[in-house]
Amino acid sequence: MRRRAGSARKMMAFSRIVNCHTEEDYEKVFKKAGEALVLVEFVAGWSTSSKSMQPYMNTLAKSPEYKKIHFVRVDMEALPAVAQRCNVKALPTYQLYRNGEKMEEMSGAMPAKLVAMLKTHHVKEKKGGPGKLIGLVGAIVMSIFGLLKLKDSIEEWEAEAEERAAILEAQAEAREQSRNAASRRRK
């Protein structure tokens, strides 16, 4: 049996945005997140601003920079109690939480402001510990060795230059002596 062109199944793109359909779903996200940041987006099907922000949210959720943030979408029409409890007054509204505590909120379809809010609160974990310290010490030691080698090279060049100058001076002196000897012979 042959497939007709265009009848191949289309795979749904993987999304890191959790769509909450019940209050239990909403609570589970916060329990699962623990100390990680949670960005909650309150939307409604009829809101054109909410629809216009959807591609931006999908892009942010897929971005490796924000992989430690939990993204949640709450439809106000499906969960009005959650929207009321979170004091949502406009659409779309974005609330940022850590440990279940609201850190910041913004309303409106402003992608740049949303990114600024995320960057303000999203501090990348720095890989530290002994490995980073050893790497730093190694870099310092290698820099010192490089400087010492450069110093030795400069000293070597200076010694060669002094030697060349001495040779040139000796040659000039020898020429001067041969001229003096030749002029004495003529006299």
Side-chain angles (χ1 to χ4, degrees):
M1 181 179 208
R2 291 177 61 151
R3 284 190 182 177
R4 288 186 286 154
S7 66
R9 288 186 186 161
K10 292 182 180 175
M11 290 183 60
M12 293 277 297
F14 175 73
S15 177
R16 292 186 49 242
I17 301 174
V18 177
N19 289 307
C20 293
H21 302 290
T22 65
E23 288 188 39
E24 290 79 31
D25 291 343
Y26 183 76
E27 297 301 325
K28 280 181 190 176
V29 169
F30 286 94
K31 286 179 185 172
K32 183 180 175 185
E35 292 185 16
L37 288 173
V38 178
L39 178 66
V40 182
E41 175 188 36
F42 291 94
V43 297
W46 51 265
S47 170
T48 55
S49 297
S50 298
K51 289 177 185 177
S52 71
M53 284 294 287
Q54 205 167 20
Y56 296 106
M57 278 294 289
N58 291 336
T59 302
L60 288 173
K62 290 177 185 175
S63 170
E65 184 178 355
Y66 303 114
K67 70 181 179 185
K68 298 209 180 228
I69 297 176
H70 295 261
F71 291 86
V72 180
R73 184 172 287 136
V74 176
D75 188 346
M76 283 184 52
E77 294 171 324
L79 296 171
V82 172
Q84 187 174 12
R85 186 172 65 209
C86 294
N87 201 23
V88 175
K89 305 270 189 238
L91 290 176
T93 294
Y94 300 91
Q95 296 178 347
L96 196 60
Y97 291 87
R98 177 170 276 152
N99 294 326
E101 183 180 324
K102 187 180 353 177
M103 299 175 68
E104 192 170 344
E105 176 178 349
M106 69 160 269
S107 297
M110 296 177 279
K113 189 174 177 184
L114 178 61
V115 169
M117 180 175 80
L118 287 175
K119 286 189 177 189
T120 303
H121 295 284
H122 178 61
V123 178
K124 287 186 177 179
E125 291 182 12
K126 296 187 177 182
K127 295 180 181 176
K132 188 170 185 179
L133 181 62
I134 290 169
L136 179 63
V137 169
I140 291 170
V141 168
M142 294 305 288
S143 296
I144 291 170
F145 280 126
L147 288 173
L148 290 174
K149 180 136 177 84
L150 179 63
K151 179 184 171 252
D152 288 344
S153 296
I154 290 172
E155 287 175 351
E156 191 177 305
W157 293 333
E158 287 175 346
E160 287 174 2
E162 286 175 10
E163 190 177 321
R164 272 187 249 117
I167 291 171
L168 290 174
E169 188 177 317
Q171 287 174 346
E173 207 173 291
R175 273 188 243 127
E176 183 69 29
Q177 286 176 356
S178 69
R179 280 188 210 136
N180 287 342
S183 67
R184 278 190 225 139
R185 284 186 222 145
R186 288 185 205 154
K187 291 183 185 181

